[in-house]
Amino acid sequence: MAMHGFSSHSGSGGGGGSGPIDYMTDDDYYDKEEGIWQPRDPLPEVIEGDPALMVQMIDALDHKHQYTSGVLSFTKSDTEKLKASGLDAAITDITGGLKEMLFAGIAKEHQHILIVAHTHLDRLELHYVLPRHNYEVDRAWNPAPPGEGKFRQMDALVDMINVRYGLDDPRDPL
């Protein structure tokens, strides 16, 4: 099943772009069950974007909320289904749908995002971060504004992914 979550972090507490980018690209992760840092094996894979450039873009913003981040997460069994259908093509399709939803109405040359795949837990996680700025009109912008609308949009994307790839539905009562 594909599931999505927006992070509650936005840069409003300081720290800039290095926080989310370091989390996404670090060779190690904090294993909550073991209470220790563990190496990621395999290492994170940058799917799209440039981590150093994303840090610079986020750090250059003077908005209170500098970035939006989130993750599309898949179970182990559904990761196997994606692999059987062609994992690289599936990731391209899924991230394409994610960008269409996040950047609706924004020209492609102004769509700035970093997408990193984690598979160290034997399942696929597609982490992303983007600056909260619309460079096309040079204004602050929130791709996930407060309210229920952002959840309806993301639920529709998750439903599309789950149906297209025959994945389990996380909202199925059974």
Side-chain angles (χ1 to χ4, degrees):
M1 89 187 76
M3 294 183 64
H4 177 269
F6 284 111
S7 171
S8 60
H9 301 286
S10 66
S12 62
S18 63
I21 282 80
D22 286 350
Y23 168 76
M24 291 168 56
T25 60
D26 272 354
D27 293 351
D28 299 315
Y29 73 102
Y30 187 73
D31 185 329
K32 292 178 185 176
E33 290 178 16
E34 298 291 326
I36 58 173
W37 287 90
Q38 301 270 19
R40 286 185 172 133
D41 183 24
L43 294 174
E45 177 186 355
V46 174
I47 302 297
E48 182 173 335
D50 177 333
L53 178 60
M54 187 59 57
V55 169
Q56 290 175 346
M57 291 178 80
I58 291 169
D59 288 352
L61 298 176
D62 60 1
H63 314 310
K64 178 179 180 182
H65 301 282
Q66 297 173 305
Y67 62 86
T68 292
S69 61
V71 62
L72 283 164
S73 183
F74 301 85
T75 63
K76 288 180 183 183
S77 64
D78 283 340
T79 299
E80 292 304 315
K81 291 178 186 176
L82 292 173
K83 287 179 181 177
S85 71
L87 186 59
D88 290 342
I91 289 173
T92 298
D93 178 54
I94 290 165
T95 58
L98 174 69
K99 291 187 304 186
E100 285 179 27
M101 195 235 12
L102 290 171
F103 294 110
I106 296 177
K108 287 208 184 293
E109 64 267 18
H110 298 290
Q111 297 180 10
H112 304 284
I113 190 167
L114 175 66
I115 303 172
V116 177
H118 289 180
T119 55
H120 61 278
L121 299 175
D122 295 326
R123 60 186 175 82
L124 177 64
E125 295 178 345
L126 295 171
H127 294 265
Y128 66 89
V129 64
L130 56 145
R132 279 178 126 175
H133 192 83
N134 182 334
Y135 295 90
E136 191 169 17
V137 294
D138 196 28
R139 297 182 68 155
W141 159 77
N142 186 356
E148 294 301 311
K150 69 181 172 203
F151 297 112
R152 283 191 303 274
Q153 288 177 316
M154 195 52 75
D155 286 350
L157 174 67
V158 167
D159 288 344
M160 180 206 65
I161 294 166
N162 289 331
V163 168
R164 182 173 290 166
Y165 293 98
L167 309 181
D168 297 327
D169 180 354
R171 292 184 298 282
D172 185 340
L174 299 176

